[in-house]
Amino acid sequence: MCMDVKPVDVDEDVRKQFTNEREFAVREHMLQWIRTEASKLGFNIVIGRSDKGYDRRYTFVTLRCKRSGKYANHIRKLKRNDTDSRRYECPFKLCGYLMVNTTWRFNVIFGRHNHDMCYKLVDHPIARRLKPEEKEIVFVMLLKMVQPKNILRTLKRNRPQNVSYIKQVYIVCGRKNKEIRGPRTKIQQLLKLLEDNHYISR
């Protein structure tokens, strides 16, 4: 699953790496800080549960290791016998909560892992995701008709830690094109562009 694996003692608590008394203005800033620290240690963070505080409940978000949970066998056998699952029932857990002054903080509920860490998170889908600012760069370069391979080269030059593939660039380009097109079909969008640019079409 990993490019390079480093063993970790299951009794080692990584709570100290996530000790932070800061208060974050928005939830995304808190999530970004936690994900950055997790990447340094060699694992990924996913959202386990989230509540926006409806029905007089507290606003919170629980964060788990990517390898938490257990693979569930379905009626249709979609998984081959010679493959392994990413899920390893990892007990690592964080909880972020919204305070009265509308800032976010988090606590470590359980700070231990039961699996090995990775030096490089190349094979992890979450690590390959583009950051919001990188998606904006892709959008700007897309409007300038820059080729996807050159867009990816620019992203990796700006952030050497970027492990994204060309597929992530194509996904962002497809989503942006869909936003520009709106409710029109591809053919309707083509006819609109021909009309806007004063082409003769029949």
Side-chain angles (χ1 to χ4, degrees):
M1 301 302 297
C2 303
M3 294 294 293
D4 298 304
V5 176
K6 56 181 178 181
V8 61
D9 186 359
V10 294
D11 294 328
E12 181 184 357
D13 198 326
V14 297
R15 186 185 305 267
K16 59 183 179 180
Q17 283 85 352
F18 289 92
T19 301
N20 190 338
E21 300 298 330
R22 288 174 49 192
E23 295 182 0
F24 301 86
V26 293
R27 191 182 79 157
E28 291 305 319
H29 293 170
M30 179 187 68
L31 296 180
Q32 185 61 42
W33 188 91
I34 294 174
R35 285 168 177 159
T36 302
E37 294 301 314
S39 298
K40 294 177 183 178
L41 294 173
F43 68 98
N44 278 314
I45 287 288
V46 295
I47 295 178
R49 289 185 58 196
S50 180
D51 197 317
K52 295 184 178 180
Y54 297 134
D55 298 330
R56 294 181 295 180
R57 292 177 297 192
Y58 291 106
T59 304
F60 72 93
V61 57
T62 58
L63 304 170
R64 307 299 298 263
C65 175
K66 175 65 178 177
R67 305 195 70 176
S68 64
K70 185 177 181 180
Y71 178 76
N73 291 319
H74 301 280
I75 298 177
R76 287 185 60 195
K77 194 171 183 180
L78 302 176
K79 182 172 174 285
R80 301 202 311 264
N81 293 329
D82 59 344
T83 61
D84 196 7
S85 173
R86 288 192 179 95
R87 298 186 179 275
Y88 206 71
E89 299 185 66
C90 180
F92 182 83
K93 184 177 181 181
L94 301 173
C95 183
Y97 51 91
L98 183 65
M99 301 182 65
V100 179
N101 58 356
T102 66
T103 59
W104 284 85
R105 295 190 65 177
F106 70 91
N107 290 329
V108 180
I109 306 300
F110 197 87
R112 290 186 174 89
H113 295 268
N114 61 352
H115 57 87
D116 296 337
M117 299 299 181
C118 301
Y119 285 118
K120 298 179 181 179
L121 298 174
V122 177
D123 287 345
H124 291 251
I126 294 180
R128 295 198 300 263
R129 290 179 181 175
L130 297 177
K131 297 181 180 296
E133 57 272 15
E134 292 176 331
K135 293 180 180 179
E136 291 300 322
I137 294 175
V138 173
F139 180 58
V140 172
M141 299 184 73
L142 177 64
L143 294 178
K144 295 181 180 179
M145 306 299 291
V146 180
Q147 293 183 347
K149 63 179 182 179
N150 294 329
I151 296 177
L152 181 62
R153 190 177 296 115
T154 301
L155 295 177
K156 290 184 177 293
R157 188 184 306 116
N158 293 342
R159 185 168 66 94
Q161 297 81 12
N162 189 317
V163 293
S164 301
Y165 295 160
I166 191 67
K167 180 180 178 181
Q168 279 68 44
V169 177
Y170 279 119
I171 290 175
V172 174
C173 291
R175 289 176 180 172
K176 291 298 183 181
N177 285 329
K178 190 174 182 180
E179 291 179 7
I180 295 173
R181 190 170 70 242
R184 294 182 294 273
T185 64
K186 294 182 179 180
I187 295 298
Q188 291 172 340
Q189 177 69 6
L190 174 61
L191 294 175
K192 181 179 182 302
L193 292 175
L194 291 174
E195 182 180 355
D196 292 345
N197 292 279
H198 307 291
Y199 281 84
I200 298 174
S201 60
R202 180 169 60 88

